[in-house]
């Protein structure tokens, strides 16, 4: 009997591979690709493309690629599409993002969810919360109203199959993982076998 991985297990692996690379990153990437093959083969294929790009790299070079892909200080306006702060993509650098950060931090504290080092709207932080509180109302809200719309902006120059429309860069290598993440959020049932997560097509408009 084939065991279908839970969406929470898959998202926990996305947390590992979208976080700063370390000794366990390669193993998490391989496990993610393997587990996706059953419930989301299109996502598995996209993860495989990411794996092919990063596997030959020594850890130090991969860490440099990660920093170059996600650090706003090193990004051009085009490359900033992968800036990992969800509130930035939803609201821009405006008072609306500040309000979003304040509310998110308060709701995290109320549920005993600790945020270390990063702002509460960092994609990896939000994914960790979704894994920790999969049945909660806030997890569902963040998935539909924040993560999916932000991910659409973060993968703007990939086609629907997750294929780069220009020569691959470090940014696009990580955009592949974001494209695979969206597929998982849409097609892999959540707690209780819920139906496909609906996509919030537009989301909030940045100022």
């Amino acid at each position: 009997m084939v065991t279908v991985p839970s969406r929470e297990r898959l998202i926990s692996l996305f947390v590992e591979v979208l976080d700063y690379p370390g000794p366990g990153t390669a193993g998490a990437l391989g496990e993610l690709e393997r587990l996706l093959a059953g419930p989301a083969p299109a996502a598995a294929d996209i993860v495989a493309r990411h794996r092919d790009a990063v596997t030959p790299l020594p850890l130090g070079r991969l860490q440099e690629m990660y920093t170059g892909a996600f650090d706003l200080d090193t990004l051009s306006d085009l490359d900033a599409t992968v800036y990992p702060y969800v509130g930035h993509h939803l609201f821009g650098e405006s008072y609306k993002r500040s309000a979003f950060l304040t509310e998110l931090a308060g709701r995290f504290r109320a549920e005993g969810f600790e945020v270390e080092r990063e702002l509460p709207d960092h994609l990896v932080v939000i994914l960790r919360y979704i894994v920790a509180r999969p049945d909660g109302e806030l997890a569902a809200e963040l998935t539909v109203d924040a993560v999916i719309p932000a991910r659409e902006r973060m993968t703007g120059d990939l086609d629907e199959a997750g294929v780069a429309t220009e020569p691959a860069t470090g940014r696009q290598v990580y955009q592949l993982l974001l494209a695979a993440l969206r597929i998982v959020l849409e097609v892999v049932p959540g707690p209780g076998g819920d139906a496909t997560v609906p996509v919030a097509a537009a989301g909030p408009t940045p100022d």
Side-chain angles (χ1 to χ4, degrees):
M1 179 177 178
V2 177
T3 301
V4 178
S6 68
R7 185 166 64 180
E8 287 65 51
R9 176 56 185 154
L10 295 173
I11 293 175
S12 72
L13 289 169
F14 274 106
V15 167
E16 293 189 54
V17 299
L18 285 168
D19 207 349
Y20 189 73
T25 300
L29 191 60
E31 183 179 0
L32 178 61
E33 181 185 350
R34 178 177 61 81
L35 292 181
L36 285 172
D45 290 344
I46 295 172
V47 170
R49 295 195 58 193
H50 173 86
R51 177 183 51 75
D52 289 344
V54 303
T55 297
L57 302 177
L59 180 58
R61 176 67 188 95
L62 180 58
Q63 290 170 338
E64 291 176 0
M65 176 183 284
Y66 180 93
T67 300
F70 288 111
D71 186 349
L72 187 63
D73 291 338
T74 67
L75 298 175
S76 67
D77 289 342
L78 173 62
D79 289 343
T81 54
V82 293
Y83 191 49
Y85 294 93
V86 169
H88 170 84
H89 293 284
L90 298 180
F91 306 110
E93 295 305 313
S94 68
Y95 76 91
K96 289 184 179 181
R97 184 189 176 204
S98 298
F100 177 68
L101 287 170
T102 300
E103 179 180 0
L104 196 55
R107 294 183 73 174
F108 282 168
R109 283 195 302 271
E111 296 192 25
F113 179 74
E114 298 294 329
V115 178
E116 299 179 0
R117 299 188 304 276
E118 284 292 355
L119 292 172
D121 69 337
H122 192 287
L123 177 63
V124 168
V125 171
I126 291 177
L127 292 178
R128 284 196 181 107
Y129 173 82
I130 291 171
V131 170
R133 307 285 192 276
D135 297 310
E137 179 181 345
L138 179 57
E141 290 176 5
L142 288 172
T143 299
V144 176
D145 297 331
V147 174
I148 290 177
R151 190 231 62 97
E152 290 175 341
R153 292 170 172 83
M154 295 171 80
T155 56
D157 63 353
L158 296 186
D159 66 22
E160 292 182 357
V163 179
T165 55
E166 59 184 72
T169 63
R171 169 176 55 88
Q172 290 178 329
V173 166
Y174 277 96
Q175 280 180 315
L176 291 170
L177 288 180
L178 297 169
L181 172 62
R182 182 189 181 192
I183 293 173
V184 168
L185 294 174
E186 292 178 347
V187 307
V188 178
D194 295 339
T196 301
V197 175
V199 178
T205 302
D207 285 347

